[in-house]
Each structure stands twice: as C-alpha cells, then as structure tokens.
Amino acid sequence: MKTSLLTLDARTKKRNAAEARFKAYGLSAIFVAMFALLILLTSVVSNGLSSFQQTFITLEVALPEDKLDKSGVRDLAVMSRVTTIGYAPVLRDALLAKLDALDIENPLSNRDLGNLISKQSAATVRDRVLANPDLVGQTVTFDLLASGRIDGYFKGAVTMESAALDGNTSPEALTIAQALADVGVIETKFNWNFFVWPDASVQRPEAAGLGVAILGSLYMMIVVLVLALPIGVASSIYLEEFAPKNRWTDLIEVNISNLAAVPSIVYGILGLAIFINFMEFNQSSPLVGGLVLTLMTLPTIIISTRAALKSVPPSIRDAALGVGASKMQSVFHHVLPLAAPGILTGTIIGLAQALGETAPLLLIGMVAFVREYPAAYTPEAGLFGEAATALPVQVFNWTQRSDPAFFERAFGAVITLLVFLLIMNAVAIYLRRRFERRW
Amino acid sequence: MQSLTTLLFVILALAVAGYFLAKSRALQVAGGDIRGLVSLPSQHALNTVLSTVIPPLAAILLISLYLRLTDGNGSWFFTLVVIGLAVTGMALSLIGIKQQARARTFAERWIMGLLIFASTIAIMTTVGIVLSMLSETINFFGQYDWRRFFFSTEFTPRFQGDSELGILPLLWGTLYVSFIALSFAVPIGLFAAIYLSEYAGHRLRSVAKPAIEVLAGIPTIVYGLFALFIVGPGLRDYFAQPMGFGDSAISVMTAGLVMGIMLIPFVSSLSDDIINAVPQSMRDGSLGLGATKSETIRQVVIPAALPGIIGAGLLATSRAIGETMIVVLGAGAAAKLSLNPFEAMTTVTVKIVSQLTGDTDFASPETLVAFALGLTLFVITLGLNVFALYIVRKYREQYE
C-alpha cells in the first residue's frame, strides 16, 4: 500500500477525530456549567425583581369622628379601643366614594370591594391616626397597600382566568382595579418597605418584608466577626508560629481540616444541644445563631489566616528578632500587619459563607414567625437575646407558605441576599488586589 | 445575666485602673529614669492588665460551666471569688514591678496561654459535637431498639408515639440523590477542569474560571429555591409526565440535578489542583513519543492523577450526603424505598430538620431519633473525609 505524508491514513484520521471529540467534551462541560449559572441567575432575577414593586391605591380617606373616636375629645385610651376591624369600613367607604366620583361601575358586594385593599392598610391608617389624633374629622390622602391578588394582577401573576377560580378575588374586582389604574388611582411603584417591614401573616403577603431578617442577619454577622476573627487569628498564630511539632498539634490540624468538611446541619445539632439545651440561651436568638455560625466559619478563617501568615517571608521575622524583639513581638508587630490583607479577605469570605447558611439556623428555632424588631440589648434577654430570623431562613419560610404571592417575595429575598454576598466578595477581591504583596 | 454584665464591667474598670497604676509605679520604681528599667512601663502595664483580666474570666467560664452541670444558681460567693482573683492578680503584678523584673516575658506568657486556648477551641468543637450527639443517641436507644433503627425499612414517625423509625429508607434516599448528583457533577467538573488546564486559552479561562467559582459562592438555599420552583416543575412537565414516570415536581431527580450543579465547582477546582500537580515532564514525554494531546491526558495525566481525583470524588460525596437545604426543598419528605428517580423521597438531613423543628416533646424517641441520625451522618462524612484527605495528601507527596 502506498502511503504519503500528505494524505492522512485511516488510523491517524481516527486519532484526530478522537482528539476533536475529547476537546468537544471538555468544551461542552464548561458550557453546561456556565449555562446552569446563567439559568439560575436569570430565573432568580426574573422571578424576584417584581417583589421590589408594590401596588398602592391612593385614596382621600375621610376619618369620621363618630366611628373612630367615640369620646369626641381625642382620648387615646378610647380611640385605641377601635381595632383595625373598625378602620376597614372607613377605607372601604373612601374607595366607594372614589368609584362614584370616577363613575366606575361597581357590581361587588361591600365585603368583596373591601378586599381590594390590604388588611395591612387598616393597621397603617390606625397607627397614623393614633400617632396624630388631630387627623380625626379631616379627610387625609393615603397611599394604601392593595391586596395581594390585585398586586399580583398588575405583576402578571393573577389573570382573569385564575381569578375566576379564586375565592379571594374575582374578575369583576380586577376590572375595577384596571379601571382605577387607568386613571392613576392605583399605581405600582418601587417598594422600599420590602426591606424595612417585618414578616406578615399568611393572609397579607403584600405586607411581608425583610426588616427583621436583615436585622437578625446583621446581628449574627456582628457576633461572628467579633468572635471568629480574634479566635481564628489567635489559633492560626499559635499553630503557624509557635506550636511545636507533636501529636497534640497534629491532632489539632487534622481536626481543623475535618471540621471544615463537617456538614453544616451537624453544627445546628451542636447548637441545639449545647447552646440551647445545656447553656439555656434563648431559642431563635441571634446570639445562638452567631455562636453556631462562628464555630462553622472558624475553620475557614483559620485556613486562610495560616496561608496569609505562611506567605510572609522569614526574613521579616529574622530582622525583627535581630534587633531584639521577642518572638511574640516579631509576630504581632511585623508578621501580623503584613498578613492583614490576606486575613481580612479570608474573613470576609467566611462571613459571606455564614450569611448564606440556612440549615443550622433551622434547628435552633430561627424558623419562628417574628414580627417584633429584635433589640440588640435588653436587660431581660441580654445581648442579642431577642428572637429574630435571618435572610436565608426567611426565604425558606416563605417557600413554605400556601399563598403563591409569597414565592415572588422569596425570590426577592434571594436577590437581596445575593446582592449582599456580591458586595462582600467584591470588597474581598478589591482588598486582595489593592493590598496583597508578592514577595 | 445582668449581674454578669456588671461583673464584667467591674473587671474592666479594674483593668483600666491597673494599667495606669502600673505605668506610674514603673516610672516611680525607676526614679523617673526609664533607662533604669529592664522592661518598658507599657510592658509592665500590659502585664498588669492581663493578670487582672485573664484569671477572673477563666474563673467565670469554669464557674458557669459548674453551675450548668449542677443546675445551681450563682451566689455572692462566686462573685467574691471572681473579684478576689482580679484584685489579687492586679496586686501581685503591681508588687512585682521592680527595676529588674522582666515584664515582657510575663506578659507574653499570658498571651501564649490565650493563643493556646484559642487553638483548642477546634478540638472542643469536635468533642462538643460528639458528646452532645452521643448522649442523646444513647438516650434514644434506651427508648428504641437499635436493631429496629438500623434494619427497619419504614420511617413513619407518629405524634402519639409507637412510631417506626428505621434509617434504611432515609439512607437509600440520601445515597440515591448523591448518586445522581455525582454522576452529573463528576464528569462535568472533571472535563471542565481538564479543558481549562490543558486546552483553554487565556481568554476563555479568564471568563469560565470565575463563572464556575461563582456557582460555589451561591448559598444552598438559593439552589433549593431553584430546585423547587424552576427545575422541579420543568422536569415534571417535560420529562416525568410525558414519559409516565409520575407527576411529582419534587423528586430525587430534581434534588440530584440541582445538587450536581452545586458540586460542579467543588469537583472542578479540586481536580484542577490535582491535574496541575502532575509534573510537566510526564506530559512532555508522552507528547514526544507521538501521542496526541487527548491520548496524553487519558493515558498519562489521568492515571497519574487518579488517586487525587478519587479523593476529590469522595470529598464531593461527603458534601452531597450532608447537604440539607436542596433536599429539604427539592426531594420531599416521604420516606420511601423506590427505584423511580421521579418520585419524591427523603434523606437523613431532611428528617433531622423535620424531627427537630416539629412540635413533639423533646424527650420522645420521635425527636431524639434526629440525634441518632445526626451521629450516623457525622460518622459517615467523617470517615469519607479522613479517607479522602489521606488519599489526597499521599498523592501530593508522591510528586513533591
């Protein structure tokens, strides 16, 4: 058989084809991974962005004295006896008046019409009136929350067909809402309150916010930072600079690398058994959550701190020792400041990890429904002892509710969480780029 | 609680007082001339502060531990002990201020003690994990036969008691989900690592590597949400229902796929390290003999890196077994022994969450079973980790 270097024989062709196939496998693996990331992020953003918007009804509400203040002299004790149930008809009458003024047909019963307005609105108006009793007797313009179904209609989650099957709303109600929106009485606008309001009960998803969760997460991050950073740095310094090489330090090292790989839920069990059952700290308090997350992030911080300490060249230590510093002084005055950017980067990454962690917090009771903003310190509950939730746990909580209006909020909470993580990681990358020294 | 805060403030005040007293006393001892002192006044002050603060703090820790163990209440006696320790420490260190006293050495001994204490916290965490789970597990096996726990094929906790609490269906669900996750993540992660380290140009690498790392930084609750609302319904509508596998959105497949995505960066970054550790000379030798690049990778690089890659796979397995949020949201809560991947099943971690967040009495076996499950989980993952780390370390030494 004649062979030529210029024409490829069958075997070479086969080998080249195998080469091309192999390359294609690799490339497609990368694209699968990047595609997964893309789908994940776009679905989160497209599902969650609408939660930052909220539908409001602008109404001129007449606040009649005979209903809201039986005393007639603005006595707060008497006025506060009128509950939100007493305020709901007032708002409904305002809506009726508005419909009359605009000549919009109203086939709804009074009860169904009242359901256009969120139950939360009555509480808002009541709070405003109690804070400023002089409003009674006047007509005041309020931006009232629309109910979850009306809100869902303007965001595309509720349609005429789904409303026809829904006990909480009806196509007629949506028609009225559409008519009001056409004249600008109903508006969907950016909702800051989503980040400020506490969680709300199942009946009023439109009023649920992240206020308590953000506060709880913040408290826990403070606890983690205050505990994990000094402890992590101290133990890294000992292990990296002072520890003799023996069984005991070997044991500690193996231990730390194993703790880094222990499932996070095990830390939750630890927290429940030690901090809540044994030490009797308050359940669902940011203190316990912070302690659990501290133990969980400690290995991360120790590993990155040791890497940072290791990267400081020995000549720095030798120079310090040479001019009469003690070993301790050489570490604290020279090595530690030079390693600080690396330590800081590692700490921020550890904090970011802790911020997104959910499973251990479920076990220590942070799934509880909390509407009160937790105080950082109270004499009864101690430091960070009041019940709170956390951002990722709030996401989990909202996925467990029956009303689908909460799902949009869960995605919104995830966007908020991811933005916080993005900021933290960006700061870490910036610090590394700006301050890291190569020796 | 409040008295403890007061106590801490008293100690702090003593420390501040000690700082200034020590400084002025050191100057006084030196007769106004610092050169007469072996240690600087600030080092004397540091020594005094540490001697004032550390013993009472250690005492507070020990006393509160003792009170918890004996269920006692704090009394004035303990307060006296703590304050006495603070005052004694301060007084002794103040008396010890002499011209020849080596305050730096003394202060550094205290600091060294603190450093050693900090490094033992890692050990104490492990001990705490094991002890807390062990004691409740023993408690559980006192109420529930261990043979039933390990060999029963049913897990049906009942509120009234008399539940069947077998671990087998949970283990099955866990392993099934992990298996699907790994059979998705390992090939993709491995191929991605190979391509990035052997083929990819600078531009692709600078985009793809950070993108894959972003996947690692996303919290698991986000993956859980993704599984519940996007992947689950998608799989049901386009695969399970048309093919007649069932009509459940949450399923082993849903959780497995999403967990696979989560594990891709984990596998790929570990494999990347391992492939880069294979010496270039081995590749050069193979290429020099006329092998193509892919032949080199398949026949030289991969076999050389195999132990490390297996180690990475084991670490990923341990991650998959211990993962919680994805399975809580994506896999379901019904304990089942079934082969159909489009059916909802449950895992060990899901049951730990549901048994510990329920309303059952804490001392009942229905709650305590969570600790036995937790201990089982801990033992399995610990075994996998120790084994995997051993393999990886052994492998690294081979080429160093």
Side-chain angles (χ1 to χ4, degrees):
Chain A
M1 194 172 86
K2 269 205 284 183
T3 56
S4 160
L5 280 176
L6 297 176
T7 53
L8 298 172
D9 62 17
R11 192 173 137 73
T12 312
K13 270 186 193 156
K14 223 171 110 187
R15 288 174 65 199
N16 285 347
E19 172 78 25
R21 268 204 309 278
F22 193 78
K23 254 179 107 166
Y25 293 151
L27 207 55
S28 49
I30 289 174
F31 279 112
V32 167
M34 286 172 69
F35 182 68
L37 176 68
L38 196 72
I39 296 282
L40 180 70
L41 291 182
T42 48
S43 63
V44 165
V45 170
S46 65
N47 280 297
L49 226 43
S50 59
S51 66
F52 300 133
Q53 305 264 317
Q54 198 67 48
T55 307
F56 290 92
I57 309 177
T58 310
L59 288 178
E60 296 86 40
V61 183
L63 300 165
E65 189 175 37
D66 58 325
K67 279 187 188 156
L68 304 182
D69 183 11
K70 298 250 164 40
S71 70
V73 290
R74 309 291 178 264
D75 180 1
L76 271 180
V78 179
M79 284 173 68
S80 59
R81 229 174 282 156
V82 181
T83 59
T84 50
I85 299 169
Y87 279 84
V90 173
L91 301 184
R92 190 186 57 218
D93 292 344
L95 183 56
L96 265 174
K98 191 81 189 175
L99 291 180
D100 275 347
L102 291 169
D103 254 349
I104 295 171
E105 212 177 314
N106 172 26
L108 291 176
S109 70
N110 272 350
R111 199 178 141 268
D112 286 346
L113 188 70
N115 276 348
L116 257 64
I117 304 170
S118 164
K119 292 182 177 63
Q120 188 65 35
S121 294
T124 317
V125 173
R126 180 171 180 268
D127 290 346
R128 277 274 292 278
V129 170
L130 289 183
N132 184 5
D134 293 336
L135 291 179
V136 174
Q138 300 179 20
T139 299
V140 186
T141 308
F142 283 103
D143 262 359
L144 300 172
L145 264 182
S147 74
R149 290 299 191 280
I150 302 301
D151 184 47
Y153 172 66
F154 289 108
K155 289 172 181 172
V158 174
T159 58
M160 289 294 176
E161 292 81 50
S162 75
L165 306 168
D166 193 334
N168 288 324
T169 188
S170 58
E172 291 79 31
L174 296 185
T175 316
I176 293 179
Q178 185 60 57
L180 285 172
D182 289 341
V183 292
V185 174
I186 288 188
E187 255 185 323
T188 304
K189 51 190 177 189
F190 187 76
N191 181 25
W192 264 113
N193 295 327
F194 181 61
F195 306 108
V196 179
W197 276 337
D199 194 7
S201 63
V202 187
Q203 290 89 25
R204 46 186 92 169
E206 65 278 1
L210 289 170
V212 172
I214 290 177
L215 209 55
S217 280
L218 177 73
Y219 288 167
M220 284 197 289
M221 289 306 107
I222 292 174
V223 175
V224 174
L225 188 65
V226 166
L227 289 177
L229 182 61
I231 294 177
V233 170
S235 69
S236 320
I237 287 179
Y238 176 70
L239 292 174
E240 198 59 41
E241 304 282 339
F242 293 105
K245 199 93 189 92
N246 58 25
R247 281 256 175 93
W248 174 246
T249 50
D250 264 0
L251 183 70
I252 296 181
E253 302 217 1
V254 172
N255 213 309
I256 288 170
S257 52
N258 274 319
L259 279 180
V262 166
S264 61
I265 190 158
V266 169
Y267 286 98
I269 300 180
L270 171 80
L272 179 66
I274 303 276
F275 296 128
I276 292 179
N277 286 350
F278 181 64
M279 313 260 265
E280 295 178 1
F281 289 146
N282 293 345
Q283 235 189 351
S284 51
S285 65
L287 176 67
V288 175
L291 285 172
V292 169
L293 295 179
T294 299
L295 294 181
M296 218 191 72
T297 39
L298 214 45
T300 319
I301 293 184
I302 291 179
I303 289 169
S304 62
T305 305
R306 290 188 65 177
L309 289 174
K310 213 179 271 177
S311 72
V312 176
S315 56
I316 302 277
R317 296 175 183 83
D318 296 343
L321 294 176
V323 294
S326 67
K327 178 99 187 148
M328 195 70 81
Q329 283 175 323
S330 82
V331 171
F332 277 94
H333 294 178
H334 301 281
V335 179
L336 201 56
L338 288 172
I343 296 174
L344 224 55
T345 311
T347 307
I348 295 174
I349 288 170
L351 276 183
Q353 228 177 53
L355 182 61
E357 194 55 62
T358 322
L361 301 182
L362 298 182
L363 298 193
I364 57 165
M366 294 201 100
V367 269
F369 177 75
V370 183
R371 263 191 70 81
E372 297 291 317
Y373 294 104
Y377 178 84
T378 56
E380 301 82 45
L383 201 59
F384 299 129
E386 288 200 328
T389 57
L391 261 179
V393 182
Q394 191 67 67
V395 175
F396 173 74
N397 250 339
W398 282 342
T399 62
Q400 306 297 303
R401 304 268 168 92
S402 52
D403 192 327
F406 277 107
F407 302 161
E408 164 210 74
R409 303 214 155 223
F411 278 105
V414 159
I415 294 179
T416 316
L417 179 64
L418 288 180
V419 167
F420 278 127
L421 292 180
L422 191 72
I423 293 172
M424 290 169 87
N425 280 294
V427 169
I429 290 171
Y430 172 76
L431 282 177
R432 184 154 50 196
R433 291 261 164 88
R434 176 80 178 70
F435 292 108
E436 196 179 45
R437 234 194 268 195
R438 299 240 168 249
W439 303 91
Chain B
M1 196 73 214
Q2 220 172 348
S3 61
L4 186 63
T5 321
T6 327
L7 201 56
L8 289 177
F9 271 110
V10 170
I11 294 172
L12 189 70
L14 280 173
V16 172
Y19 180 85
F20 290 107
L21 280 176
K23 242 185 172 170
S24 67
R25 188 171 147 74
L27 278 174
Q28 187 198 346
V29 163
D33 183 9
I34 281 188
R35 282 172 298 177
L37 287 169
V38 167
S39 299
L40 291 171
S42 64
Q43 282 158 347
H44 281 290
L46 180 63
N47 182 34
T48 307
V49 168
L50 292 171
S51 321
T52 316
V53 170
I54 295 175
L57 284 188
I60 289 179
L61 264 183
L62 287 177
I63 289 172
S64 39
L65 198 66
Y66 168 78
L67 289 178
R68 277 280 147 251
L69 283 172
T70 57
D71 248 351
N73 267 320
S75 71
W76 56 269
F77 174 69
F78 292 124
T79 317
L80 215 62
V81 169
V82 170
I83 293 188
L85 273 172
V87 173
T88 321
M90 184 165 102
L92 281 180
S93 62
L94 281 177
I95 293 169
I97 297 179
K98 301 204 176 65
Q99 287 201 341
Q100 293 300 314
R102 300 193 184 304
R104 187 175 78 175
T105 317
F106 296 139
E108 285 178 0
R109 269 188 211 146
W110 285 121
I111 296 176
M112 194 61 157
L114 286 181
L115 295 185
I116 293 176
F117 173 72
S119 71
T120 54
I121 285 183
I123 298 274
M124 289 196 284
T125 309
T126 311
V127 172
I129 289 174
V130 173
L131 279 188
S132 60
M133 289 201 292
L134 206 60
S135 67
E136 301 292 359
T137 305
I138 290 171
N139 218 336
F140 169 69
F141 285 134
Q143 299 180 37
Y144 193 89
D145 188 12
W146 64 272
R147 275 160 298 197
R148 253 169 93 199
F149 174 70
F150 282 112
F151 300 114
S152 169
T153 55
E154 263 183 64
F155 191 95
T156 45
R158 266 184 283 266
F159 201 63
Q160 318 86 300
D162 189 33
S163 322
E164 199 64 43
L165 301 169
I167 197 176
L168 283 182
L170 309 185
L171 273 184
W172 168 248
T174 306
L175 293 178
Y176 204 173
V177 172
S178 308
F179 173 74
I180 291 174
L182 288 170
S183 45
F184 185 68
V186 169
I188 291 181
L190 192 57
F191 266 111
I194 290 173
Y195 193 87
L196 283 178
S197 62
E198 304 280 334
Y199 287 105
H202 180 71
R203 268 180 53 203
L204 178 64
R205 200 169 19 226
S206 67
V207 176
K209 231 179 149 143
I212 292 178
E213 273 164 23
V214 167
L215 278 177
I218 293 176
T220 54
I221 180 77
V222 182
Y223 284 106
L225 206 65
F226 184 55
L228 181 62
F229 290 121
I230 314 290
V231 177
L235 278 178
R236 179 192 56 197
D237 295 345
Y238 297 107
F239 283 95
Q241 267 176 350
M243 294 181 183
F245 285 126
D247 44 13
S248 167
I250 48 173
S251 66
V252 172
M253 194 52 126
T254 308
L257 267 184
V258 175
M259 201 189 282
I261 297 175
M262 183 199 81
L263 289 176
I264 290 173
F266 192 68
V267 175
S268 86
S269 74
L270 276 173
S271 321
D272 198 35
D273 288 350
I274 288 154
I275 289 169
N276 282 330
V278 174
Q280 186 61 31
S281 57
M282 290 176 71
R283 293 188 186 84
D284 294 345
S286 167
L287 292 170
L289 287 172
T292 64
K293 225 168 173 181
S294 67
E295 284 164 351
T296 305
I297 293 166
R298 266 181 305 181
Q299 289 160 15
V300 177
V301 178
I302 300 282
L306 198 59
I309 291 171
I310 292 175
L314 289 177
L315 282 180
T317 313
S318 125
R319 261 286 182 87
I321 290 176
E323 175 46 49
T324 310
M325 290 326 291
I326 294 177
V327 283
V328 165
L329 290 173
K336 237 179 274 172
L337 277 166
S338 160
L339 273 176
N340 182 359
F342 290 99
E343 216 170 303
M345 278 178 232
T346 196
T347 69
V348 175
T349 48
V350 173
K351 282 300 157 192
I352 294 177
V353 171
S354 65
Q355 296 312 106
L356 281 180
T357 51
D359 294 328
T360 42
D361 176 23
F362 190 82
S364 69
E366 285 77 23
T367 306
L368 290 177
V369 69
F371 289 93
L373 293 175
L375 193 60
T376 318
L377 183 73
F378 182 68
V379 170
I380 293 175
T381 52
L382 189 71
L384 280 173
N385 291 336
V386 170
F387 188 49
L389 287 175
Y390 171 76
I391 292 180
V392 171
R393 193 180 292 181
K394 199 92 190 162
Y395 159 79
R396 279 214 186 109
E397 281 162 7
Q398 196 183 330
Y399 292 115
E400 259 166 17

